[in-house]
Amino acid sequence: MPASPASQPIWTRPEPGARKPRFSREQIAAAALAIADAEGFDAVSIRRVAAELGAGTMSLYRYISAKADLVALMDDAIVGESLIPDGQLPAGWRDALAMIARATRAALLRHPWAVQALQGHGAAAQDGSFGPNGIRHFE
């Protein structure tokens, strides 16, 4: 029996609607990160993110189906902050790993709540899949 679309990773589901979505996944993640950075991870909820975006709570459910999706977006956004732009990675593997480590540390210092709050709750922990930034990071 095939899994319902809502039970699949958010990355495999299409963006909502035929017309241009009002909010992007990046905007939703940015709003959630801003809340967590200002008030801590426990302050993040779909209702609160919707309010930050100027949307109704139920309208945000067009974009995400549960808080787990919101956490996956947040997790992937933080991973995205640690990506090294194409062409800027040093040729030597030691220098490249050092650069990646510094970028990852800087991202986590910007979001000090993330290591503890997302441990076991990020996109990869939910279902074994990684978001687009997670895949780029491991490539």
Side-chain angles (χ1 to χ4, degrees), residues 62-127:
R62 288 187 61 226
Y63 301 88
I64 56 176
S65 61
K67 186 171 181 182
D69 289 344
L70 185 58
V71 172
L73 291 175
M74 294 170 72
D75 183 50
D76 197 60
I78 291 171
V79 171
E81 292 180 22
S82 68
L83 293 176
I84 307 299
D86 287 339
Q88 293 186 15
L89 205 57
W93 69 268
R94 288 177 198 233
D95 292 337
L97 283 179
M99 180 181 271
I100 292 167
R102 284 191 296 275
T104 301
R105 181 178 186 271
L108 293 173
L109 287 173
R110 284 190 296 276
H111 309 289
W113 52 268
V115 171
Q116 181 148 2
L118 296 178
Q119 185 177 12
H121 297 288
Q126 291 176 24
D127 54 21

Side-chain angles (χ1 to χ4, degrees), residues 26-40:
E26 291 79 15
Q27 289 172 308
I28 294 168
L33 289 175
I35 293 166
D37 289 344
E39 301 173 38

